Amino acid sequence: MTNELIAKQLKELGVYLQMFEAPFKPQAYEKAALIIESLNEEVSEIYKKEGKRGLTKIPGIGKGIADKIQELLKTGRIKELEQYRKKIPVDLDNLTKIEGLGPKTIKTLYQKLGIRTVVDLEKAARAGKIRTLPKFGLKSEQNILESLEFYNKTPSRFLLDEAYALAHQIIVELKKSSDINQIVAAGSLRRMKETIGDIDLLAVTKKPTPEAARKIMNTFINLKGVVKVWEYGLSKSSVRFSKGLDCDLRLVKPEEFGSALLYFTGSKEHNIALRKIALDQGYKLNEYGLFKGQRQIAGSSEEEIYKILGLSYIEPELRENTGEIEAALAHQLPRLVSLDDIQGDLHCHSDWDGGANSIEEIMKAVQEKGYHYVGISDHTKFLRIEHGLDEKQLLAQHEVIKTLNEKLKKSNINFTILHGCETNILSDGSLDISNKILAQLDYVVAGIHSQMKMSQAEMTQRLLKAIQNPNIDIISHPTGRLINKRGEYLINLEKILKAAKKYRTILEVNSSPVRLDLNDKNIKKAIKLGVRLVINTDSHQLDQLSFMKFGIAQARRGWATKENIINAWPIDKLLECFKKGA
């Protein structure tokens, strides 16, 4: 049994436990599922080698959850989960994708109206049945209908991190073959779009023989997780993995690798514009190379094709035909921010507010990434479900961080822990923590976590009030969207950006794959207006610190440079810009 299937059942059990109000257990199962999904080693192999004892060695897996995993591995089922499924036989996978539908709501809708599926939900909402239920009403029904409209419009695409992880896994396995010389991802995944339709892989063999191609393709179609082979050939094969993602593998000649990579990376609009430039100069450009008449004059690398056509090399994230070709022709492309530029992460949640790790553990993990500072930004008291901290707890946490920094200094370790918090912007734009306490922190992140259905005027005013607060340094996930689940709330973004510029408030590029907020287009608008940005992971456990690469990709798609991103700055310069500084 794969890690994916184990994690899926643990998540489902966690949702059912929330329905029946099991104390603390639901969050434990959710965290365990996330940890298992991120493991490199199969849980089944760990169990084979060390039994249940090996399971409890996995971070986040206690005795109780280890018992459930052992039961699943031994019998293929979890008895408790099956009992819950019989009590509430609903399509949890899709119903939980509807914004506003939590476990208890789903339970009520089933028990009162017999709603099992998204189709049932829509029928009941349109028939006006939901508004009649206690604690629901007309407004709740309208919100559900709005969420259903968004759900129905959302294309069947996968989050960037899901596709990225699967592609990485496939590439690692195929690289074990002695016949592969080079293999990379192309398509929208190489452009690091926020959602991915399918995975495109290009490979070059060491020896271009039918035997080598057959060996590679046989390995590919027999990879763990393949549930369907759509096409099998010596130059191209296509499969579907158990997650539902399709993947194409193409074998190309070394002299065609660059042109094929350029072609299959796209975007379509970028490729059309490039081909027109080639034609205007008397060339022909396709996936096999750049040709002058019948003679191929380039094709082994993308760089040589761009160079011959008179363009600077265009990074994959920019290839959307949104001005990058004109800039490349004028040799005026920006030097995009990179992961190597990042010096710290300023939105990390510790075990003080229900995160998985202590401040010290987070500190050590980010030091291993080569960062020079980290910001602890735990939730504040309005978010009771996240164990948000009150004023007294924030002051106690401040002393703990102060002590840790003193230890670092005594040990001559050039690293700083910054103390922040993620305070809540309430419906009127005020905050749930006193300004007197906020003023004592190194910096303050503020975000909206409730009442997201306000009018554009109300929501805009709510954010503007927070932006103008002299104690607020960063606005987290500024538009509130959840990819594939919830759209942006209604705001006048132009007013927000102008205010952020005027009051020197920093806007966040949240790296969580379900958020990636600001999006690339809004990042570009912010940069044009001179708004400062920060790329944060919003991590609640150590493995989520790696989300930084997705935020970086989003910022690159928005044409961001090192100068635009405050956590690419050294700490002295960073601290200067806080508290509405320089």
Side-chain angles (χ1 to χ4, degrees):
M1 183 172 289
T2 66
N3 287 355
E4 178 192 342
L5 291 174
I6 294 169
K8 186 176 181 182
Q9 297 215 35
L10 291 179
K11 278 183 187 174
E12 188 178 351
L13 181 53
V15 174
Y16 276 116
L17 288 168
Q18 286 184 66
M19 282 186 190
F20 293 90
E21 299 185 357
F24 305 112
K25 284 185 178 180
Q27 289 81 7
Y29 278 89
E30 174 69 20
K31 286 177 184 175
L34 291 170
I35 288 163
I36 286 170
E37 282 179 331
S38 66
L39 287 177
N40 292 322
E41 188 176 3
E42 290 292 329
V43 170
S44 57
E45 292 301 314
I46 294 172
Y47 183 70
K48 277 181 189 176
K49 288 186 284 187
E50 299 184 67
K52 182 181 165 185
R53 185 167 167 270
L55 299 178
T56 57
K57 288 181 182 178
I58 301 170
I61 307 296
K63 182 180 178 298
I65 295 177
D67 285 337
K68 293 292 188 292
I69 296 171
Q70 179 175 251
E71 181 187 359
L72 185 57
L73 292 171
K74 277 187 169 183
T75 68
R77 66 193 185 99
I78 299 174
K79 188 177 179 181
E80 184 180 7
L81 177 57
E82 292 198 343
Q83 289 170 344
Y84 281 129
R85 284 171 174 167
K86 286 177 183 176
K87 288 180 183 177
I88 312 288
V90 297
D91 180 6
L92 272 188
D93 193 37
N94 284 302
L95 285 172
T96 52
K97 290 176 183 174
I98 307 300
E99 169 65 14
L101 255 63
K104 292 177 187 176
T105 307
I106 292 169
K107 178 186 174 186
T108 300
L109 290 171
Y110 170 73
Q111 290 178 334
K112 300 294 184 183
L113 297 175
I115 291 171
R116 295 175 180 235
T117 66
V118 173
V119 172
D120 293 342
L121 178 70
E122 188 162 4
K123 283 180 182 176
R126 294 198 182 284
K129 293 180 179 180
I130 292 175
R131 71 184 72 172
T132 64
L133 298 177
K135 298 183 181 179
F136 279 79
L138 179 60
K139 184 64 177 174
S140 294
E141 187 175 78
Q142 288 173 338
N143 288 342
I144 286 171
L145 283 168
E146 284 179 25
S147 297
L148 282 165
E149 186 179 356
F150 182 82
Y151 173 85
N152 290 330
K153 284 181 180 178
T154 302
S156 181
R157 291 173 67 85
F158 295 82
L159 295 180
L160 175 58
D161 66 318
E162 295 176 298
Y164 188 95
L166 179 57
H168 177 73
Q169 178 186 330
I170 296 166
I171 289 170
V172 166
E173 288 302 312
L174 291 179
K175 274 186 174 179
K176 292 176 182 177
S177 169
S178 57
D179 295 292
I180 285 184
N181 188 45
Q182 193 174 8
I183 180 168
V184 296
S188 55
L189 180 56
R190 186 167 179 239
R191 302 200 315 278
M192 295 294 275
K193 293 200 71 173
E194 59 199 32
T195 61
I196 307 297
D198 51 34
I199 297 170
D200 295 292
L201 300 177
L202 294 183
V204 175
T205 58
K206 289 181 179 176
K207 295 180 180 178
T209 63
E211 292 77 18
R214 189 172 291 109
K215 185 178 175 183
I216 292 167
M217 291 304 188
N218 286 341
T219 300
F220 176 61
I221 66 169
N222 287 293
L223 286 172
K224 187 183 291 185
V226 170
V227 294
K228 177 78 175 177
V229 178
W230 298 114
E231 179 183 349
Y232 176 84
L234 298 187
S235 61
K236 179 191 171 188
S237 292
S238 301
V239 300
R240 171 162 291 178
F241 284 84
S242 55
K243 282 181 177 289
L245 260 168
D246 290 339
C247 180
D248 293 347
L249 173 63
R250 290 178 172 83
L251 298 182
V252 299
K253 298 174 183 176
E255 63 271 21
E256 298 170 353
F257 180 73
S259 51
L261 185 57
L262 186 62
Y263 180 85
F264 287 108
T265 294
S267 67
K268 179 182 176 182
E269 294 76 14
H270 180 86
N271 287 350
I272 289 170
L274 270 188
R275 287 200 295 272
K276 185 179 185 305
I277 289 171
L279 284 170
D280 290 344
Q281 296 181 21
Y283 300 113
K284 181 176 76 174
L285 176 63
N286 57 33
E287 64 190 274
Y288 303 106
L290 182 65
F291 294 87
K292 190 79 169 178
Q294 298 298 311
R295 184 170 64 91
Q296 188 205 57
I297 60 169
S300 62
S301 75
E302 293 179 315
E303 288 82 357
E304 65 175 349
I305 293 171
Y306 280 117
K307 186 176 181 180
I308 290 171
L309 294 178
L311 286 81
S312 300
Y313 176 75
I314 300 174
E315 297 289 350
E317 295 94 334
L318 296 184
R319 300 179 195 176
E320 301 292 347
N321 196 29
T322 55
E324 76 280 4
I325 288 178
E326 293 80 358
L329 283 167
H331 304 291
Q332 292 179 350
L333 284 169
R335 179 199 173 278
L336 300 179
V337 65
S338 73
L339 191 56
D340 290 338
D341 293 324
I342 297 301
Q343 301 207 28
D345 190 342
L346 297 174
H347 192 165
C348 299
H349 294 273
S350 76
D351 56 4
W352 282 64
D353 77 348
N357 303 99
S358 68
I359 295 171
E360 201 160 2
E361 287 171 333
I362 295 168
M363 174 192 76
K364 289 175 180 176
V366 297
Q367 281 178 304
E368 288 172 7
K369 291 183 175 294
Y371 295 168
H372 297 294
Y373 49 83
V374 67
I376 303 300
S377 306
D378 284 330
H379 287 294
T380 50
K381 61 187 179 185
F382 180 80
L383 281 188
R384 294 186 185 91
I385 195 169
E386 295 281 0
H387 310 287
L389 311 184
D390 60 22
E391 284 86 350
K392 188 176 178 181
Q393 289 170 311
L394 279 172
L395 289 175
Q397 188 180 58
H398 194 70
E399 290 304 310
V400 169
I401 289 173
K402 182 180 176 182
T403 300
L404 284 171
N405 278 322
E406 287 169 355
K407 286 181 181 178
L408 288 166
K409 192 173 182 179
K410 284 178 183 177
S411 302
N412 292 316
I413 297 172
N414 184 24
F415 188 88
T416 304
I417 305 169
L418 297 173
H419 188 206
C421 70
E422 186 180 13
T423 187
N424 297 286
I425 303 172
L426 304 178
S427 59
D428 64 353
S430 64
L431 308 172
D432 66 337
I433 295 290
S434 73
N435 281 301
K436 182 180 177 182
I437 298 300
L438 295 179
Q440 296 180 50
L441 304 183
D442 293 314
Y443 69 102
V444 177
V445 179
I448 290 175
H449 299 96
S450 63
Q451 292 175 272
M452 299 179 188
K453 299 286 186 180
M454 297 169 74
S455 70
Q456 185 187 68
E458 290 171 324
M459 188 64 86
T460 301
Q461 187 55 41
R462 181 181 181 182
L463 273 170
L464 288 175
K465 186 173 177 180
I467 287 169
Q468 292 168 29
N469 186 316
N471 292 303
I472 299 305
D473 301 291
I474 297 168
I475 301 295
S476 60
H477 36 77
T479 71
R481 70 168 183 168
L482 295 175
I483 300 171
N484 287 350
K485 189 169 183 178
R486 179 177 76 209
E488 299 176 354
Y489 25 69
L490 297 173
I491 53 171
N492 184 323
L493 185 64
E494 186 178 354
K495 282 187 177 180
I496 298 299
L497 293 178
K498 286 180 177 178
K501 168 66 174 174
K502 179 180 178 180
Y503 293 98
R504 296 172 179 164
T505 305
I506 300 141
L507 300 185
E508 182 180 68
V509 179
N510 189 295
S511 301
S512 173
V514 75
R515 288 192 184 275
L516 292 175
D517 180 13
L518 296 167
N519 69 23
D520 52 358
K521 292 180 177 64
N522 291 338
I523 290 168
K524 201 170 182 179
K525 289 176 184 175
I527 289 169
K528 189 174 181 181
L529 283 173
V531 177
R532 288 168 172 171
L533 304 172
V534 60
I535 304 172
N536 288 325
T537 61
D538 196 356
S539 57
H540 288 67
Q541 57 194 56
L542 295 184
D543 65 298
Q544 292 175 352
L545 292 168
S546 65
F547 287 168
M548 185 64 76
K549 60 179 171 286
F550 302 124
I552 292 288
Q554 189 80 325
R556 287 168 66 87
R557 288 179 57 80
W559 294 54
T561 69
K562 177 180 175 179
E563 288 68 34
N564 305 130
I565 309 298
I566 66 158
N567 56 321
W569 300 354
I571 191 163
D572 291 346
K573 185 179 177 184
L574 175 78
L575 291 173
E576 282 176 16
C577 83
F578 285 153
K579 305 302 175 202
K580 313 300 184 182

